[in-house]
Amino acid sequence: MADLEIRELRYFVALAEELSFSRAAGRLGMAQPPLSKAVQGMERKLGVILLRRSTRRVELTDAGRVLLDQARHVLDAAAAASARTRRAGLPQPRLVVAVKPGGDAGLLADVLARYHREPGHPPARVTVGGWGEQAAELREGAADVALLRDLPDHAGLDHEVLATQPRGVLLPRGHRLAGRGTLRRADLAGEPVPVWPPAGPRHALFRAALDHLPGAAAPEGPEVGDFQQLLEVVALGQGVAFVPLASAALHPRADLVCVPVVDISPSTVVVAWAQTSRSPSVAAFVRAATDAAADISGRHGS
Amino acid sequence: MADLEIRELRYFVALAEELSFSRAAGRLGMAQPPLSKAVQGMERKLGVILLRRSTRRVELTDAGRVLLDQARHVLDAAAAASARTRRAGLPQPRLVVAVKPGGDAGLLADVLARYHREPGHPPARVTVGGWGEQAAELREGAADVALLRDLPDHAGLDHEVLATQPRGVLLPRGHRLAGRGTLRRADLAGEPVPVWPPAGPRHALFRAALDHLPGAAAPEGPEVGDFQQLLEVVALGQGVAFVPLASAALHPRADLVCVPVVDISPSTVVVAWAQTSRSPSVAAFVRAATDAAADISGRHGS
DNA sequence: GGCCAGTGATATCCACCGGGTATTTATATC
DNA sequence: GATATAAATACCCGGTGGATATCACTGGCC
């Protein structure tokens, strides 16, 4: 049962994505024949046909689809192993915390203070990145822990919920519903929802919108790449967006209003970490985060 | 940033476990010098010292400890990739369900019926294994989904709780507390707790016992390897054990009594699966399991 | 304190195989 | 049926993974 090598898995992923031996070989910086041989070797070792190929078409078998998914996990894990080991070997290792601007619900300073109060843990270094990057950073070992909103459902991450925030809908000031004090989601049937981001896994706000609008009554709006574009599209009347009320308050615009929607699930602020890197320092940071959040909500509650 | 190869990670894990180049080389079926060279190559590629070595002692650096942990995850993922791909390539692929005798809370038949009712999914095959094996089977890809009690906290598994069952304490019939109708955990201070299993991650019942008994008041009892041995030890008065009441009812013995303990957390029955293998079939099985559990508890509640 | 046993590092060599080039084979299109 | 394109086959070469032999260092022990 000789197992597969990392190199072979990289080859296979490239091939499965390109569905062409020549193109995949080009992307890998190698010639086509050795790629053919490598894949034949994998099929021999596994005793399984991975690709149905003629001279004109290449397509994955069921087993090939499984291997594509699994290989990505292995490659992530291998990249993470290198990255985390390198970081641990630095003269002064740091706990890398990935945050998104506005995605920490104002908790970051308090969390860091609590984390540093407990001795024996490496100092924290904060990196700022857009949504989606954080999950990738955690999985690939570039970061140890992250504060973010609405965790994507990607496998491999554990999380604790720190806070929930009610969501509203962003509307242009002149919209027929802009004057209402609160809305229910049924009111929004038929409003177009901008697609965000245009490629790859959708942003949680987008998925939330689809989940919350009744049935297929939500036509897809234009594609937007970031939050600013989203605001522009809404201002132009091309779509509506579900955002946390607190987040809307951070970006006030004269031409937009944010109306609370009472019957949709709230946005969550979470602390997340890779399931494969639960070090004592990560645990300490998570504890600091949950303590800080409990303290805040307790203070609000009193 | 050339990444590490699976082969190198296997070498490193063997070396880190043996802490001896010669012994590790022996275990790997190779000679000692190439192992030295391979590890030097890894350190060169990573730019990190993994082992502090003299001619008499070998010990891991901090970075080495990190890599050991990470390498195990990569090797698990790689083994799982091979296993799952092989299984998917079989003429008639199956959904492999790992169950523990008595660990399904009587749900298995109903869950299987519901799963098979939905068309389009491969037929299920049930494998029976002891506790701990199931988690390993899921991580290594030998099984797709498992019904088990008290999920170990190993990383890499997702789960949904299907049911909770109150726990009691097993006592020999002549024990000073055996006549009581119910107990509180304070009553049990000072009772010895058998260690189970003797090596590796502890069984959830054991960890629960330590969590629930006040402070360090619980001396460790003898080591036991399985449930039958645990019953023997308790019968001999060498220790006490926390078990789900339903589980105790399955193994009635004249010389043992099970007394409910009212202030400890209940045992949970969960459906679990590897985070890295969320196929539609797994999702369908999980849905069937939660539906079946909701149905049962609903029927009991009515 | 010096000898010896044991262990890791170095030196050197070989064989295998990962990868390249040239060619053949098969299929879709016109 | 001719042609063009892309995967498979044939063959070759160089790098490297692994083996054997040896050196160098550490630590126990008389």
Side-chain angles (χ1 to χ4, degrees):
Chain A
M1 295 297 166
D3 19 41
L4 306 174
E5 286 292 331
I6 295 283
R7 179 181 40 81
E8 296 178 299
L9 295 177
R10 266 207 317 276
Y11 291 177
F12 181 76
V13 170
L15 178 54
E17 284 174 358
E18 298 287 345
L19 288 180
S20 154
F21 281 74
S22 328
R23 279 199 305 277
R27 207 177 97 182
L28 292 165
M30 65 190 294
Q32 169 258 317
L35 180 58
S36 286
K37 264 208 309 186
V39 173
Q40 287 169 15
M42 296 173 72
E43 292 180 324
R44 188 174 34 78
K45 280 193 271 196
L46 292 171
V48 158
I49 302 297
L50 297 171
L51 300 142
R52 203 69 220 154
R53 39 207 191 273
S54 74
T55 59
R56 301 304 273 189
R57 177 161 50 253
V58 173
E59 53 188 12
L60 289 170
T61 62
D62 287 344
R65 266 184 291 277
V66 168
L67 183 58
L68 173 59
D69 179 57
Q70 295 294 305
R72 288 196 173 115
H73 284 121
V74 177
L75 293 177
D76 273 352
S82 297
R84 294 192 181 120
T85 305
R86 282 202 186 92
R87 291 230 322 276
L90 292 178
Q92 174 62 293
R94 304 298 177 105
L95 181 87
V96 176
V97 183
V99 301
K100 189 172 92 70
D104 68 327
L107 288 169
L108 183 58
D110 189 19
V111 174
L112 288 177
R114 286 170 188 266
Y115 169 76
H116 283 128
R117 201 170 301 156
E118 190 174 332
H121 297 298
R125 196 167 66 86
V126 174
T127 68
V128 180
W131 184 92
E133 297 174 56
Q134 286 149 305
E137 284 176 355
L138 290 179
R139 262 181 298 123
E140 292 162 10
D144 298 301
V145 65
L147 292 176
L148 48 84
R149 200 191 298 277
D150 298 316
L151 186 72
D153 58 359
H154 269 132
L157 300 185
D158 263 352
H159 69 279
E160 297 262 357
V161 174
L162 299 178
T164 60
Q165 301 182 332
R167 263 193 262 250
V169 64
L170 269 185
L171 300 170
R173 186 164 291 280
H175 194 278
R176 64 181 169 95
L177 298 170
R180 306 271 287 269
T182 62
L183 292 170
R184 307 186 73 82
R185 62 189 188 196
D187 299 326
L188 295 157
E191 297 291 337
V193 176
V195 177
W196 179 28
R202 304 304 192 204
H203 190 286
L205 294 183
F206 174 74
R207 286 185 289 116
L210 287 196
D211 289 348
H212 291 133
L213 287 183
E220 295 198 348
E223 300 183 348
V224 299
D226 60 35
F227 195 68
Q228 287 305 322
Q229 287 182 28
L230 183 67
L231 295 182
E232 290 302 328
V233 165
V234 172
L236 292 171
Q238 299 297 302
V240 299
F242 292 88
V243 299
L245 295 180
S247 169
L250 285 179
H251 305 268
R253 286 176 55 136
D255 51 351
L256 294 178
V257 295
C258 187
V259 182
V261 180
V262 295
D263 59 350
I264 61 178
S265 68
S267 169
T268 58
V269 176
V270 304
V271 54
W273 62 97
Q275 277 209 329
T276 52
S277 73
R278 292 196 293 184
S279 68
S281 306
V282 168
F285 187 92
V286 171
R287 222 177 306 122
T290 52
D291 289 352
D295 197 32
I296 290 281
S297 69
R299 212 178 303 157
H300 283 196
S302 69
Chain B
M1 294 298 165
D3 16 46
L4 305 173
E5 286 293 331
I6 296 283
R7 177 180 42 81
E8 297 179 297
L9 295 176
R10 266 209 316 277
Y11 291 178
F12 181 77
V13 169
L15 178 54
E17 284 175 357
E18 298 286 345
L19 289 179
S20 156
F21 282 74
S22 329
R23 279 199 304 276
R27 207 176 96 180
L28 292 165
M30 65 189 295
Q32 168 259 317
L35 180 58
S36 286
K37 265 208 306 185
V39 173
Q40 288 168 16
M42 296 173 71
E43 291 181 322
R44 188 174 34 77
K45 279 193 272 195
L46 292 172
V48 157
I49 302 296
L50 297 171
L51 299 144
R52 202 71 219 154
R53 38 207 192 271
S54 73
T55 57
R56 300 305 273 188
R57 177 161 49 251
V58 173
E59 53 189 10
L60 289 172
T61 62
D62 287 344
R65 266 184 292 275
V66 169
L67 182 59
L68 174 59
D69 180 56
Q70 295 294 305
R72 289 196 173 116
H73 284 121
V74 177
L75 293 178
D76 273 352
S82 298
R84 294 190 181 121
T85 305
R86 282 204 185 90
R87 289 232 321 276
L90 292 178
Q92 172 64 290
R94 305 296 178 104
L95 181 86
V96 176
V97 183
V99 301
K100 189 171 92 68
D104 68 327
L107 288 169
L108 182 58
D110 189 18
V111 174
L112 288 177
R114 285 169 189 267
Y115 169 78
H116 283 129
R117 201 170 303 156
E118 190 174 333
H121 297 296
R125 195 169 65 87
V126 175
T127 69
V128 181
W131 185 92
E133 296 173 57
Q134 285 150 306
E137 283 176 355
L138 289 178
R139 261 182 299 124
E140 293 163 11
D144 298 299
V145 65
L147 292 176
L148 48 84
R149 200 191 297 277
D150 298 316
L151 187 71
D153 57 359
H154 270 132
L157 300 185
D158 263 351
H159 69 279
E160 298 261 357
V161 174
L162 298 178
T164 59
Q165 301 182 330
R167 262 194 264 252
V169 62
L170 270 185
L171 299 170
R173 187 164 291 280
H175 194 278
R176 63 182 169 94
L177 298 171
R180 306 270 287 270
T182 63
L183 292 171
R184 307 186 74 80
R185 62 189 187 197
D187 299 327
L188 295 158
E191 297 290 338
V193 177
V195 177
W196 178 30
R202 303 304 191 205
H203 190 285
L205 294 183
F206 174 73
R207 287 183 290 114
L210 288 196
D211 290 347
H212 290 132
L213 287 184
E220 296 198 345
E223 300 180 348
V224 299
D226 60 34
F227 195 68
Q228 286 306 321
Q229 286 181 26
L230 183 68
L231 294 182
E232 289 303 326
V233 165
V234 171
L236 291 171
Q238 301 295 304
V240 299
F242 292 87
V243 299
L245 294 179
S247 169
L250 285 179
H251 305 268
R253 285 176 54 136
D255 51 352
L256 295 178
V257 296
C258 187
V259 182
V261 180
V262 295
D263 59 349
I264 60 178
S265 68
S267 170
T268 58
V269 175
V270 304
V271 54
W273 62 98
Q275 275 209 329
T276 52
S277 73
R278 292 195 296 183
S279 67
S281 306
V282 168
F285 188 93
V286 170
R287 220 177 310 121
T290 52
D291 288 352
D295 196 33
I296 289 281
S297 68
R299 209 179 306 158
H300 283 195
S302 69

